[in-house]
Amino acid sequence: MTKPRPLVAGNWKMNGARASWKEAESLAGLLAADPEVRADVMLCPPTTLIAEFAQGLKGSELLVGGQDCHGESSGAHTGDISAGMLADAGATAVIVGHSERRADHGETSEDVRIKAAAAHKSELLAIICVGETETERKQGEALNVVGTQLSGSLPEKAQAGNTVIAYEPVWAIGTGLTPTLDDVGEMHRHIRSELKGKLGEAEAAGIRILYGGSVKPVNAAELMAVTDVNGALVGGASLKAEDFWGIVSVYAEK
Ligand code: PEP
């Protein structure tokens, strides 16, 4: 079975202003100069920058995504952004269920499932995040916790063309810590097998499962080489084009 085309997505979180366009421009330039990169590459900047980035990146290989969306398409939800608005601004994907959203905004897997379904309705790729806390891993609960998050967060119409799963151990995000390669492999195998149970063998094989949590240019090659790792969701190291390129170029033909 052919492996899915990897995705390397940069999550800028609440970082970046209009002057950060130079990083996007520089990354697009690096991508254009290296047609041998065998991966989709995406930046998810703050919502204020999506329209400008999407406009500036027209015709380039660099994709633009959002970091969150509301579950409804419009209405009285001050401060929120719908999936349709993201699509209208030029995004082609949206991250849902990031652990910072689950922790800071109390989002449940049911909320995440509704958001992912809203993303699909607006023809956005839903990047659904799952991951255990440090305590859950220490208690030997990581596989169970992630399995439960996954089944609660996966919407009915999930398929390889509209859904990506990002495994992000909470304790590895922004800490410089990463799980062992064996632990990453075990979790990605587990996620693939859960997906098979829900979506069938063929669809599950095509779904990209990203690893996220302190991916840097120095550890990207070994993490991306783990079986069933189909790319990365990158926070801190995606803010500068040069650092992010150090990760993306793992997928360049040598
Ligand atoms: C993230 O927030 O999705 C993330 C993976 O962050 P970092 O790469 O900084 O650990």
Side-chain angles (χ1 to χ4, degrees):
M1 195 159 300
T2 54
K3 284 198 203 160
R5 182 175 165 87
L7 167 67
V8 184
N11 172 15
W12 279 15
K13 314 191 185 193
M14 200 171 70
N15 296 293
R18 294 180 71 197
S20 318
W21 161 248
K22 66 179 191 313
E23 299 300 334
E25 190 179 34
S26 147
L27 187 62
L30 287 163
L31 261 179
D34 194 341
E36 304 301 334
V37 172
R38 303 277 191 257
D40 293 336
V41 184
M42 180 185 294
L43 284 181
C44 301
T47 312
T48 49
L49 301 180
I50 289 178
E52 197 166 326
F53 278 24
Q55 182 66 31
L57 293 171
K58 267 202 182 128
S60 104
E61 290 290 310
L62 185 55
L63 303 165
V64 180
Q67 299 176 13
D68 178 50
C69 66
H70 197 276
E72 287 177 27
S73 52
S74 62
H77 303 289
T78 303
D80 280 317
I81 301 284
S82 73
M85 290 168 179
L86 292 175
D88 184 54
T92 56
V94 61
I95 298 169
V96 291
H98 190 282
S99 63
E100 287 152 15
R101 300 282 324 169
R102 290 181 189 256
D104 298 354
H105 299 269
E107 289 184 9
T108 63
S109 290
E110 171 67 1
D111 296 329
V112 176
R113 187 182 63 72
I114 292 168
K115 288 174 181 228
H120 292 162
K121 213 166 150 200
S122 291
E123 297 186 0
L124 294 180
L125 180 71
I127 303 174
I128 301 174
C129 300
V130 291
E132 82 285 358
T133 62
E134 187 177 16
T135 310
E136 289 161 346
R137 176 151 289 271
K138 283 190 177 144
Q139 289 171 341
E141 286 301 318
L143 295 179
N144 273 343
V145 166
V146 168
T148 305
Q149 283 179 350
L150 182 67
S151 59
S153 306
L154 207 62
E156 207 187 313
K157 294 203 170 112
Q159 48 178 256
N162 65 16
T163 302
V164 168
I165 306 300
Y167 166 55
E168 299 206 302
V170 178
W171 52 273
I173 295 178
T175 59
L177 302 172
T178 51
T180 64
L181 298 180
D182 282 350
D183 285 346
V184 172
E186 180 186 44
M187 184 61 82
H188 281 238
R189 247 189 339 273
H190 179 63
I191 293 173
R192 183 85 62 204
S193 133
E194 295 283 304
L195 290 171
K196 268 184 202 160
K198 294 194 179 312
L199 310 174
E201 178 108 24
E203 214 56 60
I207 291 204
R208 293 174 286 189
I209 307 173
L210 314 186
Y211 168 76
S214 297
V215 180
K216 310 280 176 213
V218 291
N219 60 17
E222 58 181 20
L223 285 163
M224 298 304 103
V226 174
T227 306
D228 278 317
V229 172
N230 312 119
L233 181 56
V234 183
S238 69
L239 293 171
K240 293 272 166 240
E242 197 186 328
D243 295 338
F244 198 36
W245 183 250
I247 295 169
V248 170
S249 58
V250 161
Y251 289 108
E253 285 281 284
K254 299 283 178 334

